[in-house]
Structure formats: C-alpha cells, structure tokens
Amino acid sequence: MTQEEDIAAGAAAETSGPTHSGFVALIGPTNAGKSTLVNRLVGAKVSIVSHKVQTTRAIVRGIAIHDNAQIVFMDTPGIFKPRRRLDRAMVTSAWGGAKDADLIVLLIDSERGLRGDAEAILEGLKEVRQPKILLLNKIDRVNREDLLALAAAANEKIAFERTFMISAENGSGCDDVMDYLAKTLPEGPWYYPEDQISDLPMRQLAAEITREKLFLRLHQELPYASHVETEKWEERKDGSVRIEQVIYLERDSQKKIALGKGGETIKAISTASRKELSEILEQPVHLFLFVKVRENWGDDPERFREMGLDFPK
C-alpha cells in the first residue's frame, strides 16, 4: 500500500460504519453548469468557470466527503457536435470518463431543455451500461409545470435511477444529490486522503486559472483557440513562489488583443490570476505571463498532452 493509500485508509477508518467511495461522471451539453456544480458539491474551486462554451477541455476530478462516503466527481468537457481536432478529443474524453465511472450524472439546463446536443447525449447514453441519474439545473428560472414535463420527457428516453431538480448556482437541491450519492456508491476504502479536493497537479490548476481569467476578460474578443501552460514554478526562500506561464494564440492579431493597449489587458489578467493563486496556495505569488503566437497549435500533439487529452488521428 502506498503512503497516500495508507493516509486515505486511515482517514476513512476514523468514520463510523462502513465507508463508501466511487467515481461519478458529470456529463451534459456545453454550458449546462457542470463546473459550477462540481465546485459547489466539492465546496471549493477545482474547475474553472466562464461564459465561453467548452471552457472545460479535459476531465477534472473534484473530491468530496459526505457522511461516510468519498465521492470523486469527474467534471467532463461538454458534449457537442465536434468540428475540429480539439473538439473531437474533448468529446472522446467526456464519453471515456462516463464509461469509466461507477455512476453517471446527466446535467441538463432546464431553460434549454432537450434541444440540440442534449437529445444526442440521451441517445448516446443508451449504449452506456452504468446506472444514471438526471439533474435538471437552473430550476429557479423555469416554472414547475415545465420542469415536470422536461423530467418526464427525459425519463421516457432513458431509465434514470432518480431525477433531481437543482440550482448549481445557489445550491438548491444539492444536499439531496449528495445524500443519494453517499448511500448509492459501493462500499469500499477511500481513494484519496481526506483533505485532498482534486487530483489536478498544481502547475496545471494554475494554468487553468489564468485561462479562466483570460476568457472572463476577453469573452467576446478572443477566439476559442487559446491555451495556457505553466513553464516554470520556483519555490523561493522567502516563502513566495515565482510562476511563469505562456499564453499560446494562433495569430498576431489575437496577440494584440491579449496584450491590450500599453499592456493594460495582460496586466489585468495577471493581477486577477495572481490574486486567486495566492489565496489557493496561501503564499505570495509572483506571476509572469508571456504571450506567444503558435499557428495551428490545435494540431500539435504536445499541446494535447499538456491538456491531458489524447491526440486524435
């Protein structure tokens, strides 16, 4: 047994009664609220959130303890009709995560209903053997009659074990989901130490946070094809950390947008990212951002490996 498994087993042994653990894949269309929900259920930020579609690119695991259960949520990329190589890698990753899980949670945006990608996902789920539950999100924006009709329509297509109506944003209904998952996941030891909330390496999480700030600042102006990598991470003697990151873009015109007039935009992105990283790391952060143009980075296998995705042929 590894030291990490030892710690996890010890933590689990301190609880009363048998422990439960398992992997829960959260799937759904783009912008259904999956990352917001994972952060809500874990109780900390483990997945970045923005208004831009397809913000989540690879599976992010968030770890939550509820009663005697350790629930490992797999926040998957939104499932949609892929057009580019990166799209195909993301959708393949999402379905792969679903097939590897103990239980699948389908999250549907109640306002959008079963139109478009949601309909296609329901068809795809018919081929997946794992038990499935349905979560209807954003219930505060839809009247009760429409919610009941949506739940009935979805359950006609798939035999869901349970249906929950929730709001990932304000937490309504989320405790009921956690109670259900804690009781439903199989008995067994915990996979991770009790205080671990994600399996994402800190260098990668730091890059994701900067990418979030980039998208939040330049939601309209900057195209989807941008990528952030942490190139250097230096723990300094004074207790601070020096982080160097590169923002990869595809064209020179995008570089001008990211930098902004007099470097104003990149400074704002750096300030926002540094503030959040300092809070997460609980130490001073010196963040240096560089913007590079790499044409067709979306066809570079190395970039896919950095994102935790398989490079599709």
Side-chain angles (χ1 to χ4, degrees):
M1 183 180 283
T2 67
Q3 184 180 10
E4 213 172 58
E5 290 170 332
D6 232 358
I7 295 170
E14 291 176 6
T15 64
S16 58
T19 57
H20 295 249
S21 60
F23 290 83
V24 176
L26 190 58
I27 70 169
T30 58
N31 272 9
K34 296 184 299 300
S35 296
T36 300
L37 179 60
V38 167
N39 292 340
R40 165 74 60 181
L41 298 180
V42 171
K45 184 169 183 174
V46 295
S47 196
I48 68 171
V49 179
S50 86
H51 299 299
K52 214 169 186 69
V53 296
Q54 298 126 38
T55 298
T56 301
R57 287 179 173 168
I59 292 174
V60 176
R61 293 176 182 85
I63 305 157
I65 306 296
H66 190 77
D67 295 336
N68 284 357
Q70 185 177 73
I71 307 164
V72 185
F73 292 101
M74 302 162 70
D75 181 13
T76 65
I79 297 174
F80 58 102
K81 188 175 181 180
R83 296 188 300 274
R84 300 161 299 180
R85 192 189 297 271
L86 178 58
D87 296 344
R88 296 202 307 274
M90 289 162 53
V91 171
T92 299
S93 173
W95 282 117
K99 290 171 183 175
D100 289 341
D102 296 292
L103 186 146
I104 295 170
V105 173
L106 173 62
L107 186 68
I108 295 292
D109 180 334
S110 298
E111 286 188 299
R112 285 187 289 178
L114 301 183
R115 296 188 298 274
D117 294 327
E119 188 90 41
I121 293 169
L122 284 167
E123 286 300 313
L125 279 176
K126 292 178 181 178
E127 308 300 318
V128 181
R129 60 176 176 77
Q130 282 89 338
K132 309 161 191 71
I133 66 172
L134 173 67
L135 269 59
L136 300 182
N137 191 23
K138 305 179 184 178
I139 58 169
D140 48 326
R141 305 180 190 178
V142 181
N143 67 56
R144 181 170 175 77
E145 291 73 21
D146 289 341
L147 284 171
L148 294 174
L150 177 57
N155 277 274
E156 279 180 17
K157 296 177 180 294
I158 293 286
F160 290 104
E161 305 287 328
R162 287 282 300 274
T163 296
F164 294 89
M165 298 187 183
I166 68 158
S167 168
E169 195 166 324
N170 65 32
S172 175
C174 290
D175 286 344
D176 293 336
V177 175
M178 293 295 280
D179 289 343
Y180 176 82
L181 294 175
K183 294 171 186 171
T184 304
L185 289 176
E187 283 189 24
W190 292 353
Y191 292 99
Y192 298 95
E194 187 173 9
D195 60 352
Q196 187 170 341
I197 61 170
S198 175
D199 69 347
L200 199 65
M202 190 52 68
R203 289 172 67 108
Q204 194 174 338
L205 177 60
E208 286 289 275
I209 286 170
T210 298
R211 186 164 67 91
E212 177 189 62
K213 306 311 177 196
L214 183 72
F215 280 177
L216 289 174
R217 178 82 183 192
L218 298 169
H219 172 54
Q220 300 295 337
E221 297 94 332
L222 196 68
Y224 174 67
S226 57
H227 174 54
V228 180
E229 290 182 16
T230 301
E231 291 210 331
K232 289 186 180 178
W233 186 292
E234 179 192 352
E235 297 284 347
R236 304 175 71 172
K237 291 180 181 177
D238 62 2
S240 66
V241 58
R242 176 190 171 96
I243 302 171
E244 293 184 11
Q245 295 178 333
V246 177
I247 299 171
Y248 287 106
L249 303 171
E250 288 191 317
R251 293 190 295 276
D252 280 321
S253 58
Q254 297 169 3
K255 184 175 182 179
K256 291 176 183 176
I257 293 170
L259 291 173
K261 187 176 180 180
E264 190 178 282
T265 301
I266 199 70
K267 286 176 188 174
I269 293 166
S270 179
T271 299
S273 184
R274 183 175 65 249
K275 183 176 184 294
E276 184 160 334
L277 285 170
S278 296
E279 292 170 358
I280 291 172
L281 296 170
E282 298 181 338
Q283 65 186 123
V285 170
H286 306 285
L287 177 63
F288 298 87
L289 299 183
F290 305 91
V291 181
K292 294 184 180 180
V293 175
R294 178 168 288 173
E295 292 185 10
N296 301 319
W297 70 260
D299 294 322
D300 181 357
E302 181 62 29
R303 306 281 75 77
F304 280 71
R305 282 192 289 273
E306 284 286 341
M307 288 185 280
L309 292 170
D310 292 328
F311 184 74
K313 303 300 183 185

